Amino acid sequence: MNALDRKILAELENDGRLTVTELAERVGLSLSPCHRRVRALEESGVIRGYRAQLDASALGLEFAALVFVTLTGSKAVAEFEQAVAQLENVVQAQRLFGEPDYLLHVVARDLPAFQRFYDERLTALPGMHRMTSTLVMKEVVANRPLTAAMD
């Protein structure tokens, strides 16, 4: 990946709805080479897809929590991960080194909705040993472009 590819990625991260014509103009390429580069970035998996970024609070999802999970043992990992992937309120799940084993970012309409989700769905996950949570007070950095970290 060269500087031109990074420039293309930065533009697409900033506005994924750019047409190839607009993108080519912004990065200083003609249409065909720009299209080829974008297609190569998609085929290589660097660009995984395109989607709209939604505002959770505008959708009525005013509540966010971070849930830390420790499993009973390594045998439960695959089953736990499959089950977590099915939980629609879990918008991000990360496996961690050390303890805890996982960090889940959960959204809900409000505290009672989160409590129901926690009690009925999260506690029923396979391999659950311990779970703690903390409430998100404020999002300070969200969806920062990855190309900023490449410099």
Side-chain angles (χ1 to χ4, degrees):
M1 182 176 315
N2 63 25
L4 192 52
D5 291 329
R6 286 192 293 278
K7 196 171 181 182
I8 289 169
L9 293 171
E11 290 294 337
L12 288 173
E13 274 191 308
N14 186 48
D15 183 357
R17 295 184 71 179
L18 287 174
T19 66
V20 177
T21 303
E22 293 168 325
L23 179 61
E25 186 177 299
R26 288 188 186 188
V27 300
L29 276 177
S30 60
L31 188 60
S32 291
C34 183
H35 188 259
R36 279 194 301 275
R37 282 180 178 264
V38 170
R39 184 174 298 148
L41 290 165
E42 291 169 344
E43 289 172 356
S44 70
V46 172
I47 297 175
R48 295 190 319 192
Y50 302 89
R51 61 187 245 183
Q53 291 182 352
L54 306 181
D55 184 304
S57 61
L59 294 169
L61 300 169
E62 300 282 346
F63 189 87
L66 301 176
V67 179
F68 302 94
V69 175
T70 301
L71 298 182
T72 55
S74 60
K75 293 180 182 175
V77 167
E79 195 177 351
F80 175 84
E81 290 181 0
Q82 284 180 330
V84 164
Q86 302 305 309
L87 299 176
E88 56 284 338
N89 290 71
V90 176
V91 295
Q92 187 173 14
Q94 297 170 306
R95 187 169 179 195
L96 309 174
F97 278 108
E99 264 194 58
D101 297 314
Y102 290 89
L103 170 61
L104 311 179
H105 186 147
V106 177
V107 296
R109 188 177 61 256
D110 52 25
L111 178 59
F114 172 73
Q115 183 179 353
R116 279 190 306 278
F117 180 73
Y118 188 96
D119 292 344
E120 296 170 10
R121 307 287 301 280
L122 290 177
T123 59
L125 287 170
M128 184 67 64
H129 173 66
R130 182 174 57 244
M131 193 169 39
T132 59
S133 62
T134 188
L135 309 182
V136 175
M137 183 186 325
K138 175 181 169 184
E139 232 177 49
V140 178
V141 175
N143 300 313
R144 175 176 282 148
L146 292 176
T147 51
M150 293 175 59
D151 294 333

